[in-house]
Amino acid sequence: MLEKYVVINPEVADALSAGKPVVALESTIISHGMPYPKNVETALAAEQVVRDNGAIPATIAIIKGKLKVGLTLEEIEYLGKTEGVIKTSRRDIPFIIAKKLDGATTVASTMIIADLAGIRVFATGGIGGVHRGAPESFDISADLQELAHTNVAVVCAGAKSILDIGLTLEYLETQGVPVIGYGTDELPAFYTSRSGYAVDYRVDSPEETAEALKAKWDLGLEGGVVIANPIPAEYEMDPEVINGAIAAAVKESEEKGIKGKESTPFLLAKVKELTGGASLDSNIQLVYNNVKVGAQIAVALSKLEAL
Ligand code: PSU
Ligand code: MN
């Protein structure tokens, strides 16, 4: 029945059936996060980082209504170039299928499709969360509910600092989602390595992380895990510069009444403009760093599963 909807790339399907490590990658950062051709270059380089670290990449998107697990080079190029690809979260999936549209998957929908294919580790830039001003706007990303229910670990550089990080952590705590610091006691804030908020647990190796993931899912403790991996120091932004840009971007989005799914892409594009492109460079580097750790965790998990 699933074959009607899900198309798994043969290399990914072989790896999954052989118990080899696979890392899912999202596509909203391709279509809504970066300009062409930088988006395509970054997506392909991220796949190469997965391979260099011993796992198979599976970039996920919806193409002409099919849920694709493991895009081809041509499909990545197509997604990167095509205008009008729809940012697709959980609610959108059935309609993108029925209308045979192209959809770029967010953290939530990438988790859903990875789970359908049996992929347990996913690496990206940052998760969505509770927006600043959420007590008024109710703007809370569907990514958080997905983390509550879907068994996929998400390696990211923490919650994007365009969000209300404190409220995002409270939400995840209520939903029972562990927030882990990879080599750090402090939650990173995407463009910078520090947020001032503590993580629930610190882990220092892929093996320790894999052991915790296996224990969680062996016990039927449903849901994802946030594995927060700090941006490498050499690519970190100056906190004053980035925080100033974010404050200005949030103010402008409020003035313009930007809402719903437009909010995150608007804020990130504005921050990029205000930092003269520097935030995009940091964003790309933190993605590579997360993808590397994601591959290492997937390798450790596949070894544990084989025992
Ligand atoms: N990175 C970008 N642009 C984006 C996102 C990430 O450069 O739009 C996406 C991610 O896919 C994340 C989503 O899952 O934003 C969260 O959006 P929302 O708050 O609408 O759920
Ligand atoms: Mn939102």
Side-chain angles (χ1 to χ4, degrees):
M1 202 270 285
L2 274 184
E3 303 83 74
K4 177 165 183 235
Y5 304 108
V6 183
V7 179
I8 305 185
N9 174 307
E11 187 194 14
V12 174
D14 286 351
L16 288 169
S17 58
K20 289 192 188 146
V22 177
V23 177
L25 302 167
E26 72 161 288
S27 45
T28 294
I29 55 178
I30 304 177
S31 65
H32 289 68
M34 296 173 200
Y36 179 82
K38 211 165 211 173
N39 54 358
V40 172
E41 283 163 27
T42 304
L44 295 177
E47 290 203 339
Q48 190 56 46
V49 173
V50 174
R51 291 184 192 282
D52 293 345
N53 286 278
I56 302 294
T59 301
I60 290 178
I62 308 181
I63 304 222
K64 301 198 178 12
K66 294 286 181 203
L67 311 185
K68 297 265 187 170
V69 181
L71 298 185
T72 62
L73 205 149
E74 293 71 33
E75 288 168 335
I76 289 179
E77 182 79 19
Y78 171 77
L79 265 193
K81 266 188 185 162
T82 306
E83 303 269 322
V85 174
I86 297 165
K87 180 179 160 191
T88 303
S89 192
R90 168 178 274 268
R91 64 159 180 208
D92 308 288
I93 293 175
F95 300 92
I96 306 292
I97 292 174
K99 293 176 184 292
K100 301 194 172 43
L101 296 174
D102 299 319
T105 52
T106 62
V107 168
S109 55
T110 304
M111 288 178 74
I112 293 169
I113 298 169
D115 181 46
L116 288 172
I119 301 172
R120 296 284 152 236
V121 180
F122 159 29
T124 186
I127 57 167
V130 180
H131 279 261
R132 298 185 187 186
E136 278 295 316
S137 69
F138 271 50
D139 189 346
I140 300 174
S141 174
D143 292 354
L144 300 183
Q145 271 301 303
E146 212 54 58
L147 281 159
H149 298 298
T150 303
N151 297 0
V152 175
V154 183
V155 184
C156 61
K160 293 193 189 81
S161 38
I162 57 169
L163 301 167
D164 188 317
I165 296 180
L167 292 185
T168 301
L169 287 174
E170 291 294 345
Y171 194 102
L172 289 169
E173 179 177 3
T174 303
Q175 299 294 329
V177 179
V179 178
I180 285 172
Y182 197 82
T184 178
D185 296 302
E186 187 170 333
L187 183 73
F190 200 72
Y191 302 112
T192 56
S193 62
R194 310 183 70 120
S195 67
Y197 291 92
V199 292
D200 302 328
Y201 294 93
R202 171 188 178 136
V203 291
D204 287 291
S205 70
E207 291 73 24
E208 190 186 1
T209 312
E211 203 163 318
L213 294 177
K214 182 162 163 47
K216 175 174 167 70
W217 295 324
D218 275 354
L219 292 172
L221 299 173
E222 276 188 353
V225 175
V226 175
I227 299 166
N229 182 35
I231 182 171
E234 64 267 41
Y235 302 117
E236 250 186 286
M237 294 196 67
D238 177 338
E240 252 174 59
V241 171
I242 190 67
N243 292 333
I246 288 169
V250 169
K251 186 160 174 275
E252 187 170 336
S253 86
E254 280 166 4
E255 284 162 7
K256 290 195 163 146
I258 309 284
K259 286 195 183 66
K261 69 196 286 190
E262 314 305 337
S263 179
T264 299
F266 176 88
L267 291 170
L268 293 176
K270 205 69 216 167
V271 167
K272 178 189 150 204
E273 186 188 311
L274 293 171
T275 59
S279 67
L280 180 60
D281 298 333
S282 289
N283 196 339
I284 290 172
Q285 294 302 328
L286 66 84
V287 168
Y288 296 153
N289 188 46
N290 296 339
V291 165
K292 179 182 83 187
V293 167
Q296 292 168 348
I297 292 170
V299 167
L301 190 60
S302 79
K303 284 188 186 146
L304 266 190
E305 297 287 357
L307 289 181

